[in-house]
């Protein structure tokens, strides 16, 4: 009986140690992604909650830029991710950047982030997310 109890407890402990939360299960209604991680299906936010999407931006020297399509029910801000003091920027290199989408109105909205050169027309979305806001 003691062996069975020990095995059950050990199994539960190991399971708890290896389980990790989904990337969309962050505290206080903040959902964080990169352009390479897909948005959760059926994502639901409350007004005031946010989604952030991080990407690498080198628009200053390549001609490629990032643009947001949709997101009518969101306040959209963009900011560069702070570099570490030890990082030396190299001329012509880029930097990580983030779009933050804060829900401002109820409804369903589609956010799409595109990466391309303006004179070539609209490129396919690199990241998209359908969101319901309550």
């Amino acid at each position: 009986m003691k062996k069975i109890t020990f095995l059950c407890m050990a199994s539960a402990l190991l399971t708890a140690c290896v389980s990790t939360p989904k990337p969309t299960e962050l505290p206080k209604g903040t959902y964080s992604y990169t352009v390479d991680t897909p948005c959760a299906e059926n994502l639901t936010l409350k007004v005031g909650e946010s989604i952030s999407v991080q990407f690498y931006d080198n628009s200053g020297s390549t001609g490629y830029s990032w643009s947001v399509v949709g997101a009518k029910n969101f306040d959209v801000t963009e900011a560069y991710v702070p570099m570490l003091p030890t990082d030396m920027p190299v001329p012509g290199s880029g930097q990580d950047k983030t779009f933050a989408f804060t829900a401002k109105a109820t409804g369903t909205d589609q956010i799409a982030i595109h990466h391309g050169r303006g004179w070539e027309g609209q490129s396919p979305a690199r990241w998209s997310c359908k969101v319901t806001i309550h």
Side-chain angles (χ1 to χ4, degrees), residues 58-102:
N58 195 8
S59 56
S61 64
T62 63
Y64 283 86
S65 62
W66 295 90
S67 60
V68 175
V69 176
K72 294 179 178 92
N73 293 355
F74 292 89
D75 286 325
V76 182
T77 57
E78 58 184 282
Y80 283 101
V81 176
M83 295 177 79
L84 297 173
T86 56
D87 292 340
M88 270 311 256
V90 177
S93 68
Q95 188 175 344
D96 287 334
K97 195 171 184 179
T98 299
F99 281 122
F101 303 90
T102 304

Side-chain angles (χ1 to χ4, degrees), residues 24 31-34 37-45 50-53 68-72 74 101 108-114 125-133:
T24 57
Y31 298 81
S32 184
Y33 298 95
T34 69
T37 56
C39 177
E41 289 186 39
N42 304 317
L43 184 60
T44 302
L45 299 177
S50 312
I51 299 170
S52 69
V53 182
V68 175
V69 176
K72 294 179 178 92
F74 292 89
F101 303 90
T108 300
D109 204 345
Q110 180 76 32
I111 301 169
I113 299 176
H114 299 264
R126 281 285 309 271
W127 187 87
S128 64
C129 188
K130 184 176 179 181
V131 183
T132 302
I133 305 167

